[in-house]
C-alpha cells in the first residue's frame, strides 16, 4: 500500500521495525535545522507520507478502523487496537491486516480499548478508559492478568476520573520494568489540563503500583497517547477538536525523570510546589505540508484528522521513525489515516 507522497512509501519507513535500524536525514549533510527539506513540519519533525488505504475497509467481517493505539511487535509486525475491542495484527511493511481477535473484560463485555503495549513475551497490555483498567492479554485475546488502579483515578462516582477521559496512553519504559499510563484529561478537582501519569513496577512477572506524575497539557487539549523512547524520555501526543474548525494535534518530547511523585497528593491545584513533567514542543502537525491530503470535514490543514495512536518504528542517535494513526470513529466525515514521520530529538 503506497503512501501518497512522490518521494517515499511506507514500506521503506517500516522495513525491519523490530531491529530499529539506523535512520538517515533526507536533506544534505550539514543542512542545518530542517531535517527534511520540503517536508518539514518544524525544525525537528518532517512528514514522509501518509496512507488512507485502510479507511472504511473490513477484514474477516471486522471493521478496520477506530484505531486508538499502535505497537511494534517483536517480529516487526504492528499491533493495532480499536476502541471497539478489536486487536489487529498489521503487516509491518504494507499495513495490510494479517489477523484480528476480539477483546472483552472478565464478564465478556466489550472494552473501550485505548492504550497498547506489545510486551517482550508476546503478550499485550491494553488499557480501557471505561473503569479505567489495564489488563494483560494473550495473543488470542485471553485475559491473563489485571493490574491494580488507584481509587482516585477511577471514573466517578468511584473516583475522580471523568468519563471518556482516563487511560488513553500506555507505554513500557526501557528495560521493560516500568509501565506508564496517561490520563487523557484532568481529574475532577485538579487544575484544568493537569493530567496524571500512573506507573507500575514489574516484580517477578507482576505489575505493582509505582510513582505518579503530573503533566500539563496545552489549553483545550488532552493526551491521547504516550510512547517511551530508549533514553527514558517520552513522546506525547496532545489533541483537541473544535467543531467547524477541526483538529489540533501537537507532538511533544517529555521527561518525567525529575518530576514530583504525585501519588500522595490528593488534588493538584497549582499551589502544591509540584515539579511537572518537563515538555518541549517538537511540532504542531497543522504546520506539516498537506502532501495532497483531503479532509471530509473542516480542518485547518486537510492532512489533519483525529490522530490518536503512535509508535516508534526506528531509532538511531536521536533520530526517530514515528508512525501515527487517526481514529475515524466509524464516522463518514473522519478518516483512518497513517502518518509516517521523521523526528529528531
Amino acid at each position: 500500500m503506497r503512501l501518497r507522497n512522490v518521494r517515499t512509501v511506507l514500506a521503506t519507513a517500516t522495513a525491519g521495525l523490530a531491529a530499529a535500524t539506523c535512520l538517515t536525514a533526507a536533506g544534505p549533510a550539514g543542512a542545518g535545522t530542517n531535517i527534511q527539506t520540503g517536508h518539514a513540519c518544524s525544525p525537528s519533525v518532517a512528514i514522509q507520507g501518509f496512507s488512507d488505504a485502510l479507511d472504511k475497509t473490513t477484514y474477516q467481517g471486522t471493521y478496520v478502523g477506530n484505531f486508538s493505539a499502535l505497537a511494534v511487535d517483536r517480529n516487526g509486525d504492528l499491533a493495532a487496537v480499536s476502541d471497539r475491542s478489536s486487536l489487529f495484527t498489521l503487516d509491518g511493511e504494507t499495513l495490510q491486516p494479517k489477523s484480528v481477535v476480539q477483546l472483552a473484560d472478565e464478564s465478556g463485555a466489550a472494552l473501550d480499548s485505548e492504550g497498547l503495549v506489545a510486551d517482550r513475551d508476546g503478550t499485550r497490555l491494553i488499557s480501557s478508559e471505561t473503569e479505567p483498567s489495564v489488563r494483560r492479554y494473550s495473543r488470542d485475546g485471553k485475559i491473563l492478568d489485571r493490574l491494580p488502579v488507584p481509587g482516585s483515578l477511577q471514573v466517578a462516582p468511584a473516583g475522580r476520573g471523568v468519563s471518556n477521559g482516563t487511560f488513553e496512553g500506555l507505554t513500557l519504559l526501557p528495560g521493560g520494568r516500568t509501565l506508564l499510563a496517561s490520563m487523557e484529561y484532568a481529574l475532577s478537582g485538579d487544575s484544568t489540563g493537569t493530567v496524571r501519569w500512573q506507573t507500575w513496577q514489574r516484580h517477578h512477572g507482576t505489575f505493582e503500583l509505582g510513582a505518579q506524575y503530573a503533566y500539563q497539557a496545552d489549553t483545550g487539549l488532552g493526551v491521547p497517547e504516550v510512547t517511551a523512547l530508549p533514553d527514558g524520555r517520552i513522546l506525547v501526543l496532545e489533541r483537541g477538536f473544535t467543531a467547524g474548525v477541526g483538529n489540533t494535534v501537537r507532538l511533544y518530547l517529555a521527561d518525567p525523570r525529575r518530576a514530583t511523585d504525585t501519588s500522595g497528593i490528593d488534588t493538584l491545584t497549582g499551589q502544591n510546589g509540584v515539579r511537572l513533567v518537563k515538555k518541549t514542543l517538537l511540532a504542531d502537525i497543522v504546520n506539516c505540508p498537506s502532501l495532497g491530503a483531503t479532509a471530509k470535514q473542516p480542518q485547518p490543514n486537510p492532512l489533519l484528522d483525529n490522530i490518536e495512536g503512535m509508535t516508534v518504528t526506528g531509532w538511531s542517535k536521536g533520530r526517530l521513525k514515528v508512525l501515527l494513526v487517526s481514529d475515524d470513529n466509524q464516522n463518514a466525515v473522519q478518516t483512518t489515516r497513517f502518518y509516517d514521520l521523521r523526528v529528531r530529538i
Side-chain angles (χ1 to χ4, degrees), residues 285-339:
I285 305 302
V286 73
N287 296 321
C288 293
S290 64
L291 304 181
T294 58
K296 303 173 186 177
Q297 62 179 327
Q299 291 285 359
N301 178 338
L303 184 71
L304 285 168
D305 211 284
N306 182 39
I307 299 174
E308 190 162 322
M310 172 173 63
T311 192
V312 173
T313 63
W315 158 282
S316 178
K317 297 180 180 178
R319 298 181 185 272
L320 312 174
K321 296 177 182 179
V322 177
L323 188 67
L324 309 179
V325 68
S326 61
D327 176 1
D328 75 332
N329 289 307
Q330 213 157 333
N331 187 325
V333 298
Q334 293 179 284
T335 302
T336 295
R337 177 171 290 167
F338 288 82
Y339 304 77

